[in-house]
Amino acid sequence: MRTYSFLAVLFWSCMFHAIHMMPSEKRTNKHSRSERITGLPENDGKTLHRTKRGWMWNQFFLLEEYTGPDTQYVGKLHTDQDKGDGNLKYILTGDGAGSLFIIDENTGDIHAAKKLDREEKSLYVLRAKAIDRKTGRQVEPESEFIIKIHDINDNEPKFTKDMYTASIPEMAGVGTSVIQVTATDADDANYGNSAKVVYSILQGQPYFSVDPETGIIKTALPDMSRENREQYQVVIQAKDMGGQMGGLSGTTTVNITLTDVNDNPPRFPQSTYQFTSPESAPPGTPLGRIKANDPDVGENAEIDYSISNGDGSDMFDIITDKDTQEGIITVKKHLDFENKMLYTLRVEATNTHPDPRFLQLGPFKDTALVKISVEDIDEPPVFSRPWYLIEVDEDAKEGSIIGQVVAQDPDITKNAIKYSVDRHTDLDRIFNIYSGNGSLFISKPLDREETPWHNITVIATEINNPKQTSQIPVFIRILDINDHAPEFAKYYETFVCENAKAGQLIQTVSAVDKDEPPRGHKFFFELVPEFALHPNFSIVDNKDNTAGIMTRRNGYSRSKTSTYLLPIIIFDNDYPIQSSTGTLTIRVCACDSRGNMQSCNAEALLLPAGLSTGALVAILLCIIILLVLVVLFTALKRQRKKEPLIISKDDVRDNIVTYNDEGGGEEDTQAFDIGALRNPEAREESKMRRDVIPETIFQIRRTAPLWENIDVQDFIHRRLKENDSDPAAPPYDSLATYAYEGNDSIANSLSSLESLTTEGNQDYDYLSDWGPRFKKLADMYGGEDSDRD
């Protein structure tokens, strides 16, 4: 059974503002007749009919942010099948159905239950259908429609940032772009002017301007100086509705900073500076600081200081403190008040990073005059040389002058100078100096071979101000004189073979000399005059400081002469000529055919006629065995233990009593009475100590007779026990205090504590009269004064 139906959906709007109601363009005549569509299906040739609805709406506009007292009416859902008897039920589904949009299921009226916001959702898609309450079947196919939310100007423009920060170099030209600000409006840009934003400046004029459409902020004044003003705060407004009256607006703040450029040269605040320096200031000493002011900052304010000219450019220097941008004037060379008292410098301050764009403003440097006064101070004496070298012969006489050092006061006052020798550098007091003129002289004999060099220090002191002292090293070289004779270089062990031939070299000798002649050593060798024609040996001078010992005959016999003594004279060639005689010991030895020594002992000649080598070895073994037996016998004898003569435990020699008490000294005569050991019947009354006054007078104690007891050991134990229990019994300890040194010493006091009260030099000659024990002190203090005038 085929049902022919026709559904007409009518949306009736109850509109408060008719201008906001827009029906769809696809709209048919309400009273148009139904269209009948016929077709031939496969199975049957039945005719199908399509019925047009009387009204068709596919979208509808609804105002946002509705604030009326009642719910906002959207429209009405109605079908031609509705006879008004309540048999049909209208159902609404889709976006917001049941929550935002509600429908009266009997009448089909649709209302907006809540206030809508287009910025949250701009359109809603809904579907409507009509159902027969009895059968539950749709009387019309489901119809879809759209509800669009119509925008109103309810959102003000908002900037992307609450606060902007920008910077621009100072001295920038007009129209230089600084920063662009952007504001957005949440309203619908496609509907009216609600989202059309226009920018304007509320604060920051006349320094800056803003483009009304792009929001680009630009400079409006030329040559803005950072030194005059560095920070600017600009307020920009963004207004919708194209800036018209009634539009909403929003603002933002832009903090603009002018960055520095090098447009200011350095300038000294004053034209002249004055400083003072003591003449003793060492090189590198800072004297003062000067500073040129530069309003710029950072590297644009960096300054380099230099000395352009002046009579003190060689004596002073200036360096730049990178942290404070100050010029530090320092001493370059040693100053001398007596030579020059005032110096003048011209100091120049220059920017290190000039900007070529501003060079037309003038030179980026400045100069100032610096005057430096040199202050006079009391300077120590100055020696004429940095060091002295003195040469002296080692045979120079004591008291002879070997050289002179000269020092003077560099000050104008020219104080007198006193010279002395630093005794720490001349502990043996070999040298001395005249304190008035600085002449050095010898106090003790010199020996170059013992000490070829002496390094002493001479001190120069101002007499009026002893604190001003100077020291100078003096190197004393001891010149050699020929005072030592040459001698053999070593001990020679010389031998001659029995089968030696005449003219054979048996030994080469050389010599040494402690002296050092300037032309080198030259030694001569010869036999002593008594052996000039020695029958056995001769000497040949090799002319190279060596000599050869030669044989003068064929064959030598140990049995006749086993040793020969050959005296040799050694001369040098220096003045005065020194010579010495050395004796060469020559032994006669048995040698093989090659001349290698076999034996040099004369006793060896008797061995072949006596005992053989095997016999000698046997005798040696026998002697060793006898020695071993003697050692063993002695060791066994020492290990024997002697039996004690008395084994009794009562033997007094085996019982040793130890007393750890200290005796009372010489005054203690009552410590122990040895007579009681000899006579047990002897007893003596107790006596009080004579060296100590007892605090309590004790009763004299009587002891029981002991004459019947003949055991000495028991007697001693009893007396010991009695004395241990008697507090008044000796020994006592005595304390003697001696607080007086006495005045019987012939040497008096050797302390130097009282020497501070005496002025002048003391006479220590009396130390020589005290004997050999005080000889060292007499040499140290009794010699000639080193500060002799």
Side-chain angles (χ1 to χ4, degrees), residues 16 23 115 157 160 218 232 296 483 506 516 531 583 604 612 649:
F16 296 95
K115 182 171 62 175
T160 56
K218 301 178 182 180
Y232 293 87
D296 297 324
D483 58 346
I506 63 173
E516 292 183 359
F531 295 90
T583 301
S612 63
K649 295 181 180 181

Side-chain angles (χ1 to χ4, degrees), residues 204-247:
Q205 293 175 333
Y207 307 103
F208 300 95
S209 62
V210 63
D211 189 294
E213 295 183 359
T214 61
I216 297 177
I217 301 175
K218 301 178 182 180
T219 57
L221 286 181
D223 300 333
M224 288 191 294
S225 176
R226 184 200 63 83
E227 289 73 27
N228 296 332
R229 183 176 178 182
E230 183 177 2
Q231 298 288 339
Y232 293 87
Q233 191 174 71
V234 179
V235 178
I236 302 297
Q237 175 184 268
K239 189 174 184 181
D240 59 10
M241 297 296 295
Q244 298 177 2
M245 185 72 66

Side-chain angles (χ1 to χ4, degrees), residues 280-523:
S280 61
T285 303
L287 302 181
R289 292 171 175 255
I290 61 175
K291 184 177 182 180
N293 298 326
D294 192 334
D296 297 324
V297 294
E299 69 174 13
N300 297 322
E302 292 182 1
I303 302 173
D304 182 39
Y305 296 89
S306 62
I307 298 176
S308 58
N309 53 41
D311 56 2
S313 58
D314 294 336
M315 305 299 297
F316 301 93
D317 197 4
I318 186 169
I319 58 177
T320 304
D321 189 336
K322 298 299 183 182
D323 296 330
T324 62
Q325 297 301 316
E326 293 176 318
I328 305 174
I329 299 177
T330 61
V331 178
K332 188 177 182 180
K333 295 182 180 180
H334 288 285
L335 304 176
D336 188 0
F337 173 81
E338 290 73 23
N339 185 24
K340 191 174 181 60
M341 295 179 291
L342 180 64
Y343 293 90
T344 302
L345 306 174
R346 183 160 294 278
V347 177
E348 184 177 88
T350 308
N351 273 142
T352 57
H353 300 86
D355 194 333
R357 296 175 300 174
F358 306 102
L359 292 179
Q360 72 277 3
L361 298 179
F364 280 75
K365 62 182 179 180
D366 195 13
T367 59
L369 191 66
V370 178
K371 296 181 179 181
I372 302 176
S373 301
V374 181
E375 295 179 345
D376 185 27
I377 64 170
D378 192 4
E379 299 178 272
V382 178
F383 285 92
S384 61
R385 301 179 187 176
W387 48 271
Y388 289 87
L389 175 62
I390 298 176
E391 295 182 344
V392 57
D393 294 331
E394 64 176 324
D395 61 345
K397 304 299 182 182
E398 296 182 22
S400 59
I401 296 176
I402 61 174
Q404 185 182 18
V405 296
V406 179
Q408 64 178 359
D409 184 7
D411 299 321
I412 298 179
T413 56
K414 301 298 180 183
N415 293 325
I417 305 299
K418 175 183 177 181
Y419 301 92
S420 62
V421 176
D422 186 357
R423 290 305 172 190
H424 293 90
T425 60
D426 185 25
L427 297 177
D428 296 330
R429 304 178 73 88
I430 298 176
F431 302 96
N432 217 321
I433 192 171
Y434 288 102
S435 61
N437 58 11
S439 297
L440 286 166
F441 62 91
I442 302 173
S443 299
K444 292 183 179 181
L446 304 176
D447 187 358
R448 189 205 65 82
E449 287 71 31
E450 181 180 353
T451 307
W453 284 88
H454 294 271
N455 301 328
I456 65 174
T457 300
V458 175
I459 303 174
T461 306
E462 291 186 10
I463 295 179
N464 295 337
N465 188 4
K467 294 182 179 180
Q468 297 297 334
T469 62
S470 297
Q471 297 182 350
I472 196 73
V474 179
F475 308 105
I476 302 175
R477 180 184 180 185
I478 309 302
L479 300 178
D480 183 44
I481 62 171
N482 195 22
D483 58 346
H484 291 84
E487 56 187 14
F488 281 128
K490 63 178 181 178
Y491 174 76
Y492 294 98
E493 295 182 355
T494 308
F495 70 93
V496 60
C497 296
E498 288 182 310
N499 56 356
K501 303 298 182 180
Q504 183 177 341
L505 177 64
I506 63 173
Q507 182 68 59
T508 300
V509 296
S510 61
V512 293
D513 194 339
K514 294 181 179 179
D515 296 323
E516 292 183 359
R519 292 173 294 178
H521 291 290
K522 183 63 178 178
F523 302 123

Side-chain angles (χ1 to χ4, degrees), residues 623-691:
I623 293 174
I624 294 175
I625 293 174
L626 289 176
L627 290 176
V628 173
L629 293 176
V630 171
V631 173
L632 291 175
F633 178 77
T634 304
L636 293 174
K637 187 176 181 181
R638 288 183 177 179
Q639 292 181 358
R640 294 180 182 177
K641 296 182 180 179
K642 296 181 179 181
E643 296 293 336
L645 298 177
I646 302 176
I647 307 178
S648 174
K649 295 181 180 181
D650 297 331
D651 186 9
V652 69
R653 290 174 296 181
D654 294 337
N655 295 273
I656 300 175
V657 180
T658 302
Y659 296 89
N660 292 326
D661 295 333
E662 183 179 356
E666 296 178 355
E667 297 294 331
D668 186 8
T669 58
Q670 302 297 325
F672 191 78
D673 187 8
I674 196 62
L677 296 176
R678 302 188 181 97
N679 186 6
E681 296 181 2
R683 58 185 181 271
E684 186 177 357
E685 296 180 357
S686 300
K687 298 181 180 181
M688 303 302 293
R689 287 282 304 271
R690 290 181 293 173
D691 59 328

Side-chain angles (χ1 to χ4, degrees), residues 2-8 34-35 49-53 79-81 138-141:
R2 185 176 302 271
T3 304
Y4 297 94
S5 62
F6 178 80
L7 177 61
S34 298
E35 291 183 0
H49 297 275
R50 184 179 66 182
T51 306
K52 283 189 177 182
R53 295 190 178 97
T79 178
D80 294 339
Q81 300 295 329
Q138 293 185 10
V139 297
E140 290 288 348

Side-chain angles (χ1 to χ4, degrees), residues 685-703:
E685 296 180 357
S686 300
K687 298 181 180 181
M688 303 302 293
R689 287 282 304 271
R690 290 181 293 173
D691 59 328
V692 179
I693 300 176
E695 296 180 358
T696 306
I697 304 299
F698 293 92
Q699 190 70 23
I700 297 177
R701 176 174 46 81
R702 301 289 182 179
T703 58

